[in-house]
Amino acid sequence: MHSSDLGRNDTDSEHQHLGLQAASRLYDDSAHRVSDGQLEAPTSEKGRNDWALEHQVQVRVGTNNDLVYSIAVNNKDVTLFSTKDSAEGLHLADKKIEHLTDEYRRELTHKYKVRFSHEGEDVEGQLSFDAQGKVRHGEMVHARAPRLLELANLKGALERGRPSQLLPNDNHQGLKFYFLKTPLRKDADDAAATHVAHDKDGKAAIYVGPDGLGENLVVKDGKQSFAGSIDEHVVLHELAHNSQARLGWLREKQFLTYSRALGFDPFVSPAGETIFALRSKSGDLYRVEPDSLDWLSINDKGQYLDKNGQVSDLQNAARLDPGKMREAALVRPATFYFSNPLEMAAESLALFKEGKGERRKLLQESPELYRFTKDQDQKDINQSYGKNADGKPLYLRLPDGRLTLNNIQAEKLIADFEKAAMIHLSKQ
Ligand SMILES: [Zn+2]
């Protein structure tokens, strides 16, 4: 059992806090009507497992022969409450989970201004491309409401993502999370999550794919367990795309400036195609091959070049896999995913916020990209939280990803962290 910021160890205060007494009365009334002994009988393993899968909340028989309910938050077991071991008990738990989920949703909305899809809400028509490559919208994709497990685990990513979740030019409203029931794309695999600049209401949003964010309760050989943890990197990556919108990446001039700082040299080919050319340390240009994510040698007109630097066709173009391209790149990307400047920067900002270990690695492996990312992040922070009278940022990001008021201690902590990372590197 683990105490957490859910703060639900004291069941009595929890009842009051969550207004669950009303829910208990509701249950009492119905029990009077249908009390026939069956509702009072202990639950079966199958009954508990079905309930657990449906609600994504673990339920087990406790030492007092009651039912104990829990979820995993940041890989730690958090006990929520307990009920009698009976169908009535499970029914009461339905209501309690509903209340807790509401409370959580309200808390995240209050604290981070983010909003969430409701059960059955329209998202947009399913995407496909016709023969001419034009986008078509098919049948409506619907969303569901987030589950307690998802909300509780999203909190950590939102805390470190701040202020990326706020809408561009609006510090009072955050983006909306849609949890999709069916795939957004008709003919291709969906990403785990997708940032969209304009949802059906014209505002920024993150679409979470039908597989959710990675944290699931599963039943295997009759036993309930949590399959893993929420993919915080994915959340921080998509939030980073929102920061890009906030920082003006979608304006052409700004986009070119930032792209060049990352070693990209985007241009429009004589054929009218936009090519995100990436420069190597030796000054050569490469473009990504979308399916393989390999990088192919090109000239400044976008024509493929073979190993001898002669114009060739795609098959004979000199080729680097993502690992080799990463080594060869003028500015070393943070991960193997850098098919264009937006993706390279989103990966880097996600790692910068993910935690000490990831931020240290980013600094050690890609110092230039680290500085660019830190600068971008600080601009983003200043946009929402402003500066002191002396022109210094009011907030800084600590190595663990959280924001802190700017003061001498915080500055020193960050400087020491960066110095230690580089000293450690030179000793390797
Ligand atoms: Zn992305």
Side-chain angles (χ1 to χ4, degrees):
M1 219 166 293
H2 182 82
S3 143
S4 79
D5 52 4
L6 273 171
R8 311 240 183 270
N9 280 354
D10 181 347
T11 25
D12 285 338
S13 69
E14 175 207 321
H15 271 256
Q16 259 166 12
H17 177 55
L18 298 170
L20 289 177
Q21 278 169 341
S24 324
R25 274 200 301 278
L26 210 121
Y27 136 79
D28 282 337
D29 291 346
S30 60
H32 283 301
R33 285 204 305 276
V34 252
S35 185
D36 61 2
Q38 221 185 7
L39 283 174
E40 309 245 330
T43 55
S44 66
E45 183 180 83
K46 185 179 182 310
R48 290 191 296 276
N49 287 347
D50 288 349
W51 188 95
L53 280 176
E54 190 193 331
H55 294 81
Q56 292 289 297
V57 171
Q58 192 163 44
V59 51
R60 59 187 167 78
V61 180
T63 43
N64 303 327
N65 290 326
D66 51 359
L67 293 181
V68 180
Y69 301 80
S70 62
I71 54 173
V73 183
N74 301 327
N75 297 313
K76 283 167 192 148
D77 193 28
V78 177
T79 299
L80 301 170
F81 54 83
S82 55
T83 68
K84 279 193 293 186
D85 182 8
S86 64
E88 286 173 15
L90 279 182
H91 182 59
L92 174 60
D94 283 352
K95 307 275 177 211
K96 291 193 178 206
I97 294 298
E98 211 180 299
H99 277 272
L100 283 171
T101 308
D102 275 353
E103 284 282 312
Y104 235 98
R105 193 168 43 216
R106 267 199 290 273
E107 189 194 332
L108 294 187
T109 297
H110 176 73
K111 194 159 183 197
Y112 306 106
K113 322 286 180 212
V114 289
R115 294 159 295 126
F116 298 97
S117 54
H118 296 286
E119 176 56 38
E121 185 174 345
D122 286 356
V123 182
E124 60 178 86
Q126 196 178 39
L127 295 180
S128 59
F129 295 92
D130 67 12
Q132 281 74 45
K134 269 194 158 176
V135 176
R136 296 265 174 246
H137 288 279
E139 251 177 73
M140 182 56 73
V141 173
H142 295 286
R144 60 174 173 82
R147 302 187 179 104
L148 179 62
L149 183 64
E150 291 166 329
L151 292 170
N153 280 287
L154 202 49
K155 194 177 169 178
L158 283 169
E159 183 61 26
R160 279 172 287 127
R162 285 197 300 167
S164 289
Q165 87 285 4
L166 296 172
L167 294 183
N169 308 315
D170 186 349
N171 277 331
H172 303 289
Q173 235 189 123
L175 50 69
K176 181 164 172 176
F177 286 87
Y178 289 84
F179 290 79
L180 272 50
K181 287 181 161 189
T182 50
L184 176 67
R185 298 180 62 169
K186 199 180 173 194
D187 308 311
D189 284 344
D190 262 19
T194 309
H195 176 265
V196 292
H198 305 285
D199 67 0
K200 65 179 192 298
D201 302 316
K203 289 173 180 160
I206 290 176
Y207 293 170
V208 176
D211 290 340
L213 286 171
E215 170 78 89
N216 289 328
L217 182 137
V218 294
V219 174
K220 218 175 159 185
D221 303 324
K223 273 203 170 324
Q224 300 166 20
S225 67
F226 291 98
S229 55
I230 194 172
D231 197 336
E232 291 199 352
H233 183 77
V234 165
V235 179
L236 290 171
H237 176 106
E238 299 309 327
L239 288 173
H241 283 314
N242 201 55
S243 277
Q244 291 168 348
R246 287 162 48 81
L247 289 163
W249 278 74
L250 306 182
R251 290 196 295 273
E252 193 179 345
K253 210 178 139 203
Q254 201 68 280
F255 178 77
L256 285 174
T257 305
Y258 290 153
S259 296
R260 287 183 185 129
L262 294 173
F264 277 89
D265 218 339
F267 63 86
V268 179
S269 77
E273 187 191 5
T274 301
I275 295 173
F276 296 109
L278 183 60
R279 213 169 265 290
S280 73
K281 281 178 226 154
S282 48
D284 300 326
L285 294 176
Y286 291 82
R287 67 178 292 181
V288 76
E289 187 179 47
D291 288 337
S292 64
L293 294 181
D294 280 353
W295 291 80
L296 305 174
S297 177
I298 54 168
N299 62 18
D300 60 6
K301 294 182 184 64
Q303 293 167 303
Y304 294 111
L305 300 177
D306 66 15
K307 285 194 178 73
N308 304 314
Q310 302 299 312
V311 172
S312 77
D313 54 12
L314 191 150
Q315 274 73 32
N316 293 303
R319 177 181 290 264
L320 294 178
D321 69 25
K324 291 230 172 66
M325 185 74 241
R326 203 171 157 225
E327 298 303 329
L330 185 62
V331 179
R332 194 180 198 274
T335 68
F336 292 100
Y337 187 43
F338 49 94
S339 45
N340 62 52
L342 294 170
E343 298 307 344
M344 178 166 160
E347 282 292 274
S348 179
L349 186 58
L351 293 182
F352 187 80
K353 294 174 169 184
E354 216 162 310
K356 280 182 194 167
E358 300 299 341
R359 180 161 162 179
R360 183 183 298 119
K361 216 168 129 210
L362 180 67
L363 174 55
Q364 291 175 339
E365 292 187 356
S366 317
E368 204 177 341
L369 180 56
Y370 178 93
R371 278 190 294 276
F372 173 83
T373 306
K374 190 180 173 186
D375 181 56
Q376 287 271 309
D377 184 43
Q378 193 63 57
K379 276 194 183 118
D380 200 20
I381 294 167
N382 296 351
Q383 230 172 218
S384 289
Y385 300 107
K387 293 183 175 183
N388 285 322
D390 63 1
K392 279 189 169 187
L394 208 54
Y395 279 85
L396 299 176
R397 191 173 308 282
L398 292 171
D400 68 8
R402 286 177 303 120
L403 293 182
T404 178
L405 266 172
N406 187 2
N407 55 39
I408 292 166
Q409 290 96 310
E411 274 181 6
K412 186 173 177 329
L413 206 144
I414 295 163
D416 287 350
F417 167 83
E418 291 176 344
K419 218 190 300 170
M422 295 322 277
I423 289 168
H424 180 69
L425 187 66
S426 63
K427 278 185 188 157
Q428 275 177 345

